[in-house]
Amino acid sequence: MAFIELKDVSYTYIEGDEPPVTALKNINLSVEKGEMIAIIGPNGSGKSTLAKLFNGLFQPTEGSVSVGGLNTSDQDKIWDIRQQVGMVFQNPDNQLIATMVEEEVAFGPENLGLPSATIKARVDEALALVGLEEFRQAAPHHLSGGQKQRVAIAGIFAMRPDCIVFDEPTAMLDPMGRKEVMATIQKLRSEGKTIVYITHFMEEVVDCDRVIILKEGEKILEGTPLEVFQARELIKDADLELPEVPYLVYRLREAGLQLPDEILTPESLVEKLCLLN
Amino acid sequence: MFVELKDVYYRYQAGEEDILRGVNLGIEKGEFVALVGHTGSGKSTLVQTINGLLRPSSGQVLIEGREIKEWESPIMVRKKVGLVFQYPEHQLFEETVFKDIAFGPKNLGWSEKEIKEKVKQAMDFVQLDYEELKDRSPFGLSGGQKRRAAIAGVLAMEPELLILDEPIAGLDPRGRRKLLDRINWLNEEQGITVLLISHRMEDAARRAQKLFVMNQGQIVLQGSPQEIFEQRDELYEIGLEIPPLNEVLWQLRKCGYPVRTDIFTIEDVEEEILRHWRGFRCSKI
Ligand SMILES: Nc1ncnc2c1ncn2[C@@H]1O[C@H](COP(=O)(O)OP(=O)(O)OP(=O)(O)O)[C@@H](O)[C@H]1O
Ligand SMILES: [Mg+2]
């Protein structure tokens, strides 16, 4: 059995006398331990809803979700599940509450009731991982967006979850902040963490093991990044777009230039063009 | 000059360091300008001084030649200058989407009928389905839907200057492009002045006539997209990049190919590369 397994999962929001909204339909999905999967899809396609099913924040309306063999609808196990699956969201400001970085990171482990020496060790380790040791006494609201997001990641890491779900963690960041966060996620991956990564930026899924495309609550495609990049029609149908450089490469190939189709960065395009000449 | 900032300083609290350090800038009526700079360079603070939300510690902010602090009421400033915030959830607070978008227009004393009309138009404009969403709670919207609702609320007031602080963050690629197309349309067809803050250099390059580059609380460069992105190395030094396709052209030039670097659309870049590599095409199989 895979680490996370969704079987025939549907989810419908029912609130007061508002019309019900079915956000997910019949999703089957499994995530192996140590894997990094990306979820992409247009606005309202159900990505954030799916994220909240992974750690039992939501229960499926139909079907089942299991994490590490535990069913998320088992109320006795819900805390075990939440501890196994951490979440990082889009807006760094809404996630940080403490007045000092190290307090922020210690917050989770303190809630677990760990002895203070253990807490300190975990905070040190987490700050080292995200590269913010020298900011431990800083006020979170004085940090840049990318740094804030790394503090949020450190706070989750200090809880020692097996899996971390990221819901558009770079949407609000500038290119530098985005690079910092992506590099930090790669570190978590090399620590063996399972990663679920939600994004609108197709350029960010390049390094993932597997990509899933959602559209109107349904899974319409699953494959390696390269497979997904080549499914141009489906991408278009799902209101998504190839990143600039792969799109340029696609057009140059259509125009007859003999370029390989796995070019994703300006550097590799330039290198291949120079080889042609 | 429609908007003018003269030597504007701003600090959030006495004793803290200045966030804006002598900003001078002018925007003409009908222009489409973009403001770029890395996080923390002061962009969001700067635009909040333009709609009167923040009052400069020193210096002047003038709209149509008159200092903002001399305007009769803040509402009149908000009516002229619409600001879409970086974080849309900070802008939504009513119990339904309709009420949220109608909030600004209500304060302007428009009739119920007019308000409904404006709300409908604005929702249409940002591609939110009026019938489906008007009675829903704004907090039950997806991230991208919230962003659209926040933009609609500002558009419904029909401002003369529209300031958008990272309006496309969180929008899917298609939504991003459509929204920017519509903003270009507002500018070109309706004569609305636009100030766009964006982290995506390709959007700034393709959409705006003029760019302001901010670093550490000051405007350090200004000019046409062509002029700005010629200064690739200076931009790198202050933590900014040039658009990805221009990076391709620059690197080709460094390798000794005499390609142009002052073009920004995918069509132009494709043509430029094909012009130099024509000899290496083979017919399509
Ligand atoms: N609390 C809620 N109550 C009612 N409907 C909701 C709620 N949250 C989300 N929805 C609806 O469920 C659908 C899926 O929303 P979800 O937030 O999962 O999308 P998403 O893919 O994360 O979108 P985005 O890219 O905009 O963040 C949308 O139609 C949305 O309006
Ligand atoms: Mg979402």
Side-chain angles (χ1 to χ4, degrees):
Chain A
M1 193 160 159
F3 177 53
I4 298 179
E5 256 184 32
L6 278 73
K7 282 210 184 96
D8 299 321
V9 166
S10 297
Y11 188 87
T12 303
Y13 288 96
I14 301 170
E15 256 156 63
D17 30 305
E18 288 183 27
V21 180
T22 296
L24 291 172
K25 293 170 213 156
N26 266 319
I27 305 281
N28 285 290
L29 182 66
S30 52
V31 187
E32 299 292 340
K33 223 168 186 148
E35 228 188 343
M36 175 161 178
I37 71 158
I39 298 172
I40 53 181
N43 292 136
S45 58
K47 303 180 297 295
S48 299
T49 308
L50 186 59
K52 291 176 189 138
L53 287 162
F54 282 129
N55 76 343
L57 216 51
F58 287 177
Q59 308 296 330
T61 314
E62 277 169 53
S64 68
V65 178
S66 73
V67 175
L70 305 174
N71 193 315
T72 61
S73 62
D74 186 346
Q75 285 306 319
D76 297 339
K77 296 287 172 354
I78 202 72
W79 288 109
D80 295 336
I81 292 169
R82 298 262 167 91
Q83 240 169 281
Q84 285 187 44
V85 181
M87 295 256 236
V88 176
F89 297 99
Q90 187 182 78
N91 184 345
D93 288 333
N94 293 353
Q95 301 175 63
L96 306 180
I97 36 184
T99 52
M100 211 191 284
V101 166
E102 61 182 359
E103 288 168 14
E104 184 65 52
V105 179
F107 190 75
E110 271 165 13
N111 271 350
L112 297 178
L114 298 169
S116 59
T118 315
I119 295 176
K120 191 182 169 302
R122 286 202 186 185
V123 171
D124 290 347
E125 185 194 27
L127 286 175
L129 180 103
V130 302
L132 289 177
E133 296 104 315
E134 70 270 42
F135 289 90
R136 54 185 315 146
Q137 312 275 339
H141 71 273
H142 279 171
L143 301 178
S144 74
Q147 289 167 337
K148 281 181 196 162
Q149 226 26 336
R150 280 147 67 201
V151 173
I153 295 173
I156 300 290
F157 183 76
M159 311 263 287
R160 300 262 166 94
D162 295 313
C163 171
I164 305 181
V165 179
F166 292 88
D167 191 353
E168 291 193 65
T170 62
M172 300 289 179
L173 306 182
D174 65 356
M176 235 187 333
R178 182 166 297 157
K179 276 186 196 150
E180 291 170 16
V181 169
M182 292 307 290
T184 307
I185 293 174
Q186 289 303 337
K187 269 198 199 160
L188 292 170
R189 196 180 177 191
S190 57
E191 295 275 316
K193 300 286 177 207
T194 307
I195 312 275
V196 176
Y197 189 79
I198 296 173
T199 184
H200 285 125
F201 295 101
M202 284 195 77
E203 45 271 57
E204 293 182 346
V205 311
V206 171
D207 295 321
C208 293
D209 297 310
R210 211 146 40 94
V211 184
I212 281 135
I213 301 188
L214 287 184
K215 185 193 173 191
E216 292 168 16
E218 289 179 82
K219 183 171 92 178
I220 60 163
L221 187 66
E222 177 169 354
T224 64
L226 207 56
E227 283 163 1
V228 169
F229 274 37
Q230 282 161 358
R232 286 186 38 82
E233 285 308 310
L234 269 176
I235 288 176
K236 248 168 102 181
D237 278 352
D239 278 353
L240 299 170
E241 277 174 6
L242 283 181
E244 300 259 317
V245 173
Y247 185 49
L248 176 64
V249 171
Y250 164 78
R251 292 178 62 124
L252 291 171
R253 280 166 55 90
E254 288 284 297
L257 280 194
Q258 278 191 313
L259 292 167
D261 62 0
E262 72 271 7
I263 298 175
L264 301 169
T265 62
E267 291 71 27
S268 69
L269 174 54
V270 169
E271 188 196 316
K272 294 296 189 300
L273 280 172
C274 291
L275 281 178
L276 275 185
N277 226 333
Chain B
M1 199 66 83
F2 187 43
V3 176
E4 208 174 350
L5 273 71
K6 289 188 184 161
D7 209 25
V8 168
Y9 281 77
Y10 184 82
R11 72 173 75 90
Y12 281 91
Q13 265 163 35
E16 278 189 22
E17 62 179 318
D18 290 323
I19 304 291
L20 300 180
R21 301 187 301 132
V23 173
N24 288 292
L25 129 161
I27 305 170
E28 299 284 358
K29 188 128 202 163
E31 267 188 320
F32 190 137
V33 304
L35 179 61
V36 301
H38 64 79
T39 345
S41 58
K43 304 183 297 295
S44 298
T45 306
L46 173 62
V47 295
Q48 289 180 63
T49 67
I50 303 182
N51 88 333
L53 271 178
L54 300 178
R55 190 177 275 213
S57 325
S58 71
Q60 293 178 305
V61 180
L62 302 105
I63 296 179
E64 294 179 322
R66 236 171 3 127
E67 252 198 276
I68 287 192
K69 61 181 181 205
E70 285 160 18
W71 285 61
E72 305 72 48
S73 79
I75 307 246
M76 291 321 290
V77 180
R78 304 287 140 78
K79 163 83 186 91
K80 266 218 187 288
V81 182
L83 169 61
V84 179
F85 287 94
Q86 184 167 12
Y87 300 118
E89 55 271 47
H90 294 182
Q91 213 153 1
L92 302 169
F93 49 88
E94 292 278 357
E95 53 200 78
T96 69
V97 171
F98 182 92
K99 283 189 188 163
D100 227 307
I101 299 171
F103 181 82
K106 274 215 173 99
N107 274 326
L108 298 176
W110 291 348
S111 74
E112 289 292 317
K113 191 163 156 268
E114 247 177 324
I115 290 173
K116 191 173 162 195
E117 206 41 49
K118 301 286 184 218
V119 171
K120 239 177 156 162
Q121 267 177 20
M123 285 182 71
D124 226 39
F125 192 86
V126 297
Q127 294 178 295
L128 287 177
D129 191 315
Y130 179 78
E131 290 303 330
E132 190 187 321
L133 296 175
K134 69 175 171 28
D135 298 323
R136 294 242 320 250
S137 156
F139 302 99
L141 300 178
S142 80
Q145 289 164 334
K146 276 186 195 150
R147 165 76 55 186
R148 284 164 214 253
I151 296 172
V154 170
L155 283 177
M157 293 176 77
E158 304 189 319
E160 289 170 47
L161 168 63
L162 180 60
I163 303 178
L164 302 131
D165 193 349
E166 288 295 334
I168 54 169
L171 290 189
D172 56 57
R174 184 74 49 87
R176 205 178 289 161
R177 190 154 47 81
K178 281 197 183 147
L179 180 71
L180 290 174
D181 282 350
R182 280 161 182 244
I183 290 167
N184 268 121
W185 178 87
L186 281 178
N187 173 252
E188 283 160 18
E189 303 297 320
Q190 311 279 90
I192 292 180
T193 311
V194 177
L195 191 167
L196 173 74
I197 298 182
S198 180
H199 289 319
R200 291 173 64 97
M201 294 298 171
E202 58 272 36
D203 290 335
R206 286 174 193 158
R207 306 283 171 172
Q209 296 145 1
K210 190 172 175 189
L211 264 59
F212 295 100
V213 181
M214 241 186 136
N215 188 40
Q216 298 183 346
Q218 290 173 323
I219 304 288
V220 292
L221 291 173
Q222 56 178 295
S224 68
Q226 286 79 5
E227 288 163 349
I228 298 295
F229 293 116
E230 272 305 304
Q231 318 195 40
R232 172 180 179 269
D233 300 336
E234 288 82 349
L235 291 171
Y236 267 81
E237 246 162 61
I238 56 173
L240 297 176
E241 295 180 339
I242 62 174
L245 298 185
N246 293 78
E247 185 59 33
V248 170
L249 296 171
W250 266 87
Q251 291 190 16
L252 285 173
R253 203 199 264 174
K254 273 197 188 153
C255 294
Y257 300 100
V259 292
R260 287 177 64 174
T261 53
D262 60 346
I263 45 180
F264 301 108
T265 66
I266 191 130
E267 291 81 8
D268 288 349
V269 174
E270 178 189 353
E271 207 182 293
E272 182 66 10
I273 292 179
L274 288 176
R275 208 157 60 80
H276 289 267
W277 268 262
R278 211 183 320 266
F280 302 90
R281 277 154 85 166
C282 56
S283 56
K284 257 188 87 182
I285 318 139

PDB file of all heavy atoms in Angstrom, chain A residues 47-49 167-168 198, chain B residues 142-144, ligand 2:
ATOM      1  N   LYS A  47      -7.477  22.081  -6.371  1.00  0.00           N
ATOM      2  CA  LYS A  47      -6.150  21.778  -5.826  1.00  0.00           C
ATOM      3  C   LYS A  47      -6.082  21.957  -4.314  1.00  0.00           C
ATOM      4  O   LYS A  47      -5.611  21.068  -3.599  1.00  0.00           O
ATOM      5  CB  LYS A  47      -5.093  22.696  -6.479  1.00  0.00           C
ATOM      6  CG  LYS A  47      -5.042  22.597  -7.984  1.00  0.00           C
ATOM      7  CD  LYS A  47      -3.979  23.509  -8.582  1.00  0.00           C
ATOM      8  CE  LYS A  47      -4.212  24.989  -8.343  1.00  0.00           C
ATOM      9  NZ  LYS A  47      -5.414  25.539  -8.976  1.00  0.00           N
ATOM     10  N   SER A  48      -6.565  23.100  -3.836  1.00  0.00           N
ATOM     11  CA  SER A  48      -6.475  23.370  -2.394  1.00  0.00           C
ATOM     12  C   SER A  48      -7.387  22.427  -1.612  1.00  0.00           C
ATOM     13  O   SER A  48      -7.064  22.038  -0.489  1.00  0.00           O
ATOM     14  CB  SER A  48      -6.853  24.816  -2.088  1.00  0.00           C
ATOM     15  OG  SER A  48      -5.961  25.685  -2.746  1.00  0.00           O
ATOM     16  N   THR A  49      -8.512  22.090  -2.211  1.00  0.00           N
ATOM     17  CA  THR A  49      -9.411  21.139  -1.559  1.00  0.00           C
ATOM     18  C   THR A  49      -8.703  19.796  -1.410  1.00  0.00           C
ATOM     19  O   THR A  49      -8.731  19.171  -0.343  1.00  0.00           O
ATOM     20  CB  THR A  49     -10.687  20.970  -2.420  1.00  0.00           C
ATOM     21  OG1 THR A  49     -11.226  22.265  -2.698  1.00  0.00           O
ATOM     22  CG2 THR A  49     -11.717  20.120  -1.702  1.00  0.00           C
ATOM     23  N   ASP A 167       0.926  24.473  -0.769  1.00  0.00           N
ATOM     24  CA  ASP A 167      -0.135  25.011  -1.628  1.00  0.00           C
ATOM     25  C   ASP A 167       0.301  26.370  -2.171  1.00  0.00           C
ATOM     26  O   ASP A 167       0.204  27.386  -1.485  1.00  0.00           O
ATOM     27  CB  ASP A 167      -1.440  25.130  -0.843  1.00  0.00           C
ATOM     28  CG  ASP A 167      -2.640  25.421  -1.758  1.00  0.00           C
ATOM     29  OD1 ASP A 167      -2.433  25.654  -2.968  1.00  0.00           O
ATOM     30  OD2 ASP A 167      -3.774  25.415  -1.257  1.00  0.00           O
ATOM     31  N   GLU A 168       0.796  26.399  -3.387  1.00  0.00           N
ATOM     32  CA  GLU A 168       1.290  27.614  -4.044  1.00  0.00           C
ATOM     33  C   GLU A 168       2.214  28.448  -3.148  1.00  0.00           C
ATOM     34  O   GLU A 168       1.962  29.638  -2.937  1.00  0.00           O
ATOM     35  CB  GLU A 168       0.122  28.489  -4.489  1.00  0.00           C
ATOM     36  CG  GLU A 168      -0.679  27.903  -5.622  1.00  0.00           C
ATOM     37  CD  GLU A 168      -1.604  28.956  -6.214  1.00  0.00           C
ATOM     38  OE1 GLU A 168      -1.072  29.931  -6.771  1.00  0.00           O
ATOM     39  OE2 GLU A 168      -2.824  28.820  -6.103  1.00  0.00           O
ATOM     40  N   ILE A 198       1.798  22.092  -4.977  1.00  0.00           N
ATOM     41  CA  ILE A 198       0.740  22.678  -5.809  1.00  0.00           C
ATOM     42  C   ILE A 198       1.232  23.996  -6.394  1.00  0.00           C
ATOM     43  O   ILE A 198       1.780  24.828  -5.665  1.00  0.00           O
ATOM     44  CB  ILE A 198      -0.519  22.931  -4.959  1.00  0.00           C
ATOM     45  CG1 ILE A 198      -1.067  21.596  -4.456  1.00  0.00           C
ATOM     46  CG2 ILE A 198      -1.579  23.694  -5.756  1.00  0.00           C
ATOM     47  CD1 ILE A 198      -2.199  21.730  -3.469  1.00  0.00           C
TER      48      ILE A 198
ATOM     49  N   SER B 142     -12.061  30.093  -4.188  1.00  0.00           N
ATOM     50  CA  SER B 142     -10.690  29.611  -4.338  1.00  0.00           C
ATOM     51  C   SER B 142      -9.759  30.826  -4.379  1.00  0.00           C
ATOM     52  O   SER B 142     -10.216  31.962  -4.523  1.00  0.00           O
ATOM     53  CB  SER B 142     -10.537  28.786  -5.613  1.00  0.00           C
ATOM     54  OG  SER B 142     -10.400  29.625  -6.736  1.00  0.00           O
ATOM     55  N   GLY B 143      -8.444  30.583  -4.262  1.00  0.00           N
ATOM     56  CA  GLY B 143      -7.471  31.676  -4.233  1.00  0.00           C
ATOM     57  C   GLY B 143      -7.624  32.614  -5.429  1.00  0.00           C
ATOM     58  O   GLY B 143      -7.682  33.831  -5.288  1.00  0.00           O
ATOM     59  N   GLY B 144      -7.700  32.034  -6.619  1.00  0.00           N
ATOM     60  CA  GLY B 144      -7.780  32.836  -7.831  1.00  0.00           C
ATOM     61  C   GLY B 144      -9.102  33.590  -7.933  1.00  0.00           C
ATOM     62  O   GLY B 144      -9.153  34.724  -8.431  1.00  0.00           O
TER      63      GLY B 144
HETATM   64 MG    MG C   2      -5.907  27.037  -4.170  1.00  0.00          MG
END
